[in-house]
Amino acid sequence: MNISLFIAQYEEYYKTIVDYLCFNRLTHLERPIRELAAETIALLVPFHPEYFTNEIIPKLIKSATTYNVHTRHGSLIGIGHILLALKGKWDFYKKSRKNRKEMLSSLSIKDKKILEDSDYRKEFDKFYDSIKEKNHFELVLNNQELIHEIIGLISKIDTDELYRGKGNEVMRFAVNEYIRLLSEVDIPIESKDFIYYHEILIDNIRQTKVAIQDDACDALKVFNR
């Protein structure tokens, strides 16, 4: 969340880092790695929002319907975090800087001096502060086909029997978060989709795993607004 962000400011590295995170780390076997990758990807969106809208989201929509449950989960939460970043509504940068401070606090004075923020890093932070909360969501709103695919993705996964079968717990977490993030960005939604999403969340609240219930409640709270 710190190093990749700083390096991604350079054009020659940007797409390689983004593609690696989207199509390698988002498919990792470990769920925490996939979640961390999604947050890191969101940090990189403000540099080139068009690249995410035109290239990355359509590819993730396709990979969200693969039979690999890790890829499905990572793709869904990846799309949700990208949309949140396009809207300029997130606090991952604050989290990354907090992580950095915690890491520095555990080091010796000598090591701290090596890793302390340089003037160049401070200049970068100043630049990034100027772009991180810009709203680029019109790039999504101007593409009706993309909106249709984003909203219909959960139904597609469910229809293909990739939601309630093997790996259903992981996918229930993903779907809860996906609906919550779509709600956060106020994506336009039709009545039939609203009803379908609502039924999905209520079904997840009825699950026996408490963590799934809690996630569904958090999503429902935002969704009902």
Side-chain angles (χ1 to χ4, degrees), residues 2 4 12 19 40 43 64 66 69 72 81 102-103 122 130 146 151 155 179-182 187 194 196:
N2 283 284
S4 63
E12 57 267 40
D19 290 351
T40 306
L43 286 168
T66 181
V69 66
R72 293 202 306 273
H81 282 79
E102 289 175 354
M103 182 270 293
K122 289 174 183 175
S130 71
L146 185 62
I151 292 173
S155 177
I179 294 175
R180 180 179 65 79
L181 293 172
L182 290 191
I187 199 163
F194 179 88
Y196 175 69

Side-chain angles (χ1 to χ4, degrees), residues 5 43 46-47 90 93 124-132:
L5 173 63
L43 286 168
F47 290 117
W90 47 275
Y93 190 51
F124 169 75
D125 286 342
K126 185 178 178 182
F127 161 71
Y128 191 72
D129 279 340
S130 71
I131 66 170
K132 67 179 183 179

Side-chain angles (χ1 to χ4, degrees), residues 110-136:
K110 182 180 177 181
D111 288 339
K112 277 183 185 176
K113 284 191 175 181
I114 295 172
L115 294 173
E116 276 177 353
D117 284 351
S118 63
D119 289 339
Y120 191 67
R121 174 71 195 221
K122 289 174 183 175
E123 280 298 310
F124 169 75
D125 286 342
K126 185 178 178 182
F127 161 71
Y128 191 72
D129 279 340
S130 71
I131 66 170
K132 67 179 183 179
E133 293 180 353
K134 286 187 177 179
N135 188 340
H136 300 283

Side-chain angles (χ1 to χ4, degrees), residues 25-26 28-37 70 73 77 169-170 173-174 177 209 211-212 215:
R25 298 294 86 183
L26 273 184
H28 196 274
L29 295 176
E30 300 285 343
R31 180 181 161 191
I33 297 294
R34 299 195 296 271
E35 292 172 342
L36 185 60
H70 308 304
H73 173 269
I77 64 173
E169 285 192 354
V170 173
F173 282 117
E177 185 164 7
K209 197 176 184 87
I212 294 176
D215 267 15

Side-chain angles (χ1 to χ4, degrees), residues 68-219:
N68 184 300
V69 66
H70 308 304
T71 301
R72 293 202 306 273
H73 173 269
S75 298
L76 265 186
I77 64 173
I79 293 167
H81 282 79
I82 290 169
L83 292 174
L84 203 62
L86 285 168
K87 189 80 171 184
K89 292 177 64 174
W90 47 275
D91 62 355
F92 306 132
Y93 190 51
K94 190 186 296 181
K95 178 177 177 179
S96 75
R97 299 302 286 163
K98 180 183 176 183
N99 291 346
R100 181 176 168 81
K101 285 180 181 178
E102 289 175 354
M103 182 270 293
L104 287 172
S105 68
S106 66
L107 300 178
S108 66
I109 294 175
K110 182 180 177 181
D111 288 339
K112 277 183 185 176
K113 284 191 175 181
I114 295 172
L115 294 173
E116 276 177 353
D117 284 351
S118 63
D119 289 339
Y120 191 67
R121 174 71 195 221
K122 289 174 183 175
E123 280 298 310
F124 169 75
D125 286 342
K126 185 178 178 182
F127 161 71
Y128 191 72
D129 279 340
S130 71
I131 66 170
K132 67 179 183 179
E133 293 180 353
K134 286 187 177 179
N135 188 340
H136 300 283
F137 206 65
E138 73 278 355
L139 294 171
V140 177
L141 295 177
N142 292 337
N143 189 334
Q144 287 302 311
E145 184 180 348
L146 185 62
I147 289 179
H148 178 74
E149 289 183 328
I150 289 169
I151 292 173
L153 189 53
I154 296 176
S155 177
K156 176 78 167 61
I157 292 170
D158 198 3
T159 302
D160 291 349
E161 298 183 354
L162 300 172
Y163 172 51
R164 302 175 193 273
K166 184 180 178 182
N168 80 88
E169 285 192 354
V170 173
M171 287 308 297
R172 286 182 188 277
F173 282 117
V175 166
N176 284 337
E177 185 164 7
Y178 189 72
I179 294 175
R180 180 179 65 79
L181 293 172
L182 290 191
S183 303
E184 289 278 8
V185 300
D186 302 319
I187 199 163
I189 186 170
E190 295 180 9
S191 296
K192 63 180 178 60
D193 297 308
F194 179 88
I195 292 168
Y196 175 69
Y197 280 6
H198 190 269
E199 289 173 348
I200 288 275
L201 292 177
I202 295 301
D203 184 48
N204 284 342
I205 286 173
R206 293 189 182 118
Q207 297 303 301
T208 56
K209 197 176 184 87
V210 174
I212 294 176
Q213 296 173 7
D214 289 343
D215 267 15
C217 287
D218 288 342

